[in-house]
Amino acid sequence: GNFQMKKEIIKAQVFKPTVAPPSMSLEEFAEREMKDAVEREKREKEAPETVSRYSQLLEQGKEDEFDLVDKATMKDREWDDWKEDHPKGSGNKANKRF
């Protein structure tokens, strides 16, 4: 009776997968990834060149380009000012009771 029903229910569930089946095939995933990579490359090429730090200009050998050096110096100074205004450890302390 009841025992036989439970046995059949358990037997029916033995070979069922415990995890959800994949939502897309490997080919679909690879296609999507390649499309995203192409779009990312395109965006990176179209993006304006960002201002580097002076140390990066030295590494790239562009320390003779005065326009870039001026921009990099200003960026370094802004960063130094920010670091002075925000000393290490002064961040979010909402959950820390001293």
Side-chain angles (χ1 to χ4, degrees):
N2 195 16
F3 179 73
Q4 188 66 26
M5 288 290 289
K6 284 184 180 177
K7 187 176 176 183
E8 288 176 20
I9 292 171
I10 292 172
K11 199 185 275 188
Q13 293 176 345
V14 168
F15 292 109
K16 285 190 176 176
T18 56
V19 288
S23 59
M24 67 176 76
S25 69
L26 285 175
E27 291 82 15
E28 290 171 326
F29 179 74
E31 191 176 299
R32 180 187 255 176
E33 282 294 310
M34 289 300 294
K35 188 178 84 171
D36 290 348
V38 168
E39 288 176 10
R40 193 170 37 251
E41 262 184 38
K42 187 174 152 188
R43 277 197 313 268
E44 287 173 2
K45 286 180 182 176
E46 292 174 356
E49 190 173 323
T50 58
V51 179
S52 303
R53 305 204 52 184
Y54 185 70
S55 58
Q56 292 171 329
L57 291 178
L58 289 175
E59 290 172 10
Q60 296 170 358
K62 296 182 179 178
E63 65 272 3
D64 295 334
E65 297 182 34
F66 296 114
D67 191 36
L68 291 176
V69 171
D70 285 343
K71 289 179 181 176
T73 304
M74 290 307 296
K75 185 173 184 172
D76 287 344
R77 286 181 186 163
E78 288 171 6
W79 177 247
D80 289 340
D81 291 343
W82 190 92
K83 291 290 283 182
E84 286 175 10
D85 294 342
H86 304 86
K88 185 173 180 162
S90 67
N92 184 358
K93 294 186 177 186
N95 200 19
K96 298 179 184 169
R97 307 220 186 266
F98 290 36

